[in-house]
Amino acid sequence: MLGGVFKKVLLVLLVVVVIQNWGKIERVFNPSQAVSEQVRAQARVVLYTTEWCGYCKQIRRFLDQKGIPYQQFDIEKDAQARKAYEALGGGGIPFVDVNGTLIRDYQPEQIMAALK
């Protein structure tokens, strides 16, 4: 009986890990979605997010799919990140700084435009 419970817990953990990393997994099976090496090398992307934000998760998945490196700061857990977020104008999450272009909300087209 204990073995069955252990298997179920492992299955749930596996599902959670897969969901959290789906963008990276998709890129392995569909590498054509990734952006060029030049765009990746020049990308300076900073995400200001929270743990509970669904659109923040979508942006992370989008960036992972494209192979775009990013830094992420949780504005609820990091006081310095919160100050930086507010200094940039904040006003909602997700808040993304792409090469100096500030983007509010989930705007993949604007992110790609700012990378070029």
Side-chain angles (χ1 to χ4, degrees), residues 45-50 56 60 70-74:
V45 180
V46 179
L47 302 179
Y48 296 94
T49 65
T50 62
C56 300
R60 287 191 301 268
Y70 59 89
Q71 288 183 300
Q72 177 181 316
F73 298 101
D74 188 323

Side-chain angles (χ1 to χ4, degrees), residues 38-57:
Q38 180 182 0
V39 169
R40 278 193 296 251
Q42 295 176 351
R44 291 181 324 279
V45 180
V46 179
L47 302 179
Y48 296 94
T49 65
T50 62
E51 191 173 303
W52 51 266
C53 171
Y55 288 114
C56 300
K57 292 174 186 169

Side-chain angles (χ1 to χ4, degrees), residues 8-96:
K8 288 178 184 176
V9 169
L10 282 178
L11 179 61
V12 168
L13 287 174
L14 176 65
V15 169
V16 168
V17 168
V18 167
I19 289 171
Q20 288 179 339
N21 293 293
W22 187 250
K24 293 175 185 172
I25 293 168
E26 278 183 319
R27 194 173 73 239
V28 168
F29 293 107
N30 191 1
S32 64
Q33 290 184 352
V35 296
S36 71
E37 186 62 39
Q38 180 182 0
V39 169
R40 278 193 296 251
Q42 295 176 351
R44 291 181 324 279
V45 180
V46 179
L47 302 179
Y48 296 94
T49 65
T50 62
E51 191 173 303
W52 51 266
C53 171
Y55 288 114
C56 300
K57 292 174 186 169
Q58 285 184 324
I59 283 187
R60 287 191 301 268
R61 181 183 295 166
F62 172 77
L63 294 172
D64 288 340
Q65 282 175 338
K66 299 294 183 186
I68 300 167
Y70 59 89
Q71 288 183 300
Q72 177 181 316
F73 298 101
D74 188 323
I75 62 171
E76 291 182 331
K77 295 179 180 176
D78 184 340
Q80 286 184 319
R82 179 69 180 205
K83 286 180 184 177
Y85 162 80
E86 289 171 352
L88 291 170
I93 52 168
F95 187 73
V96 187

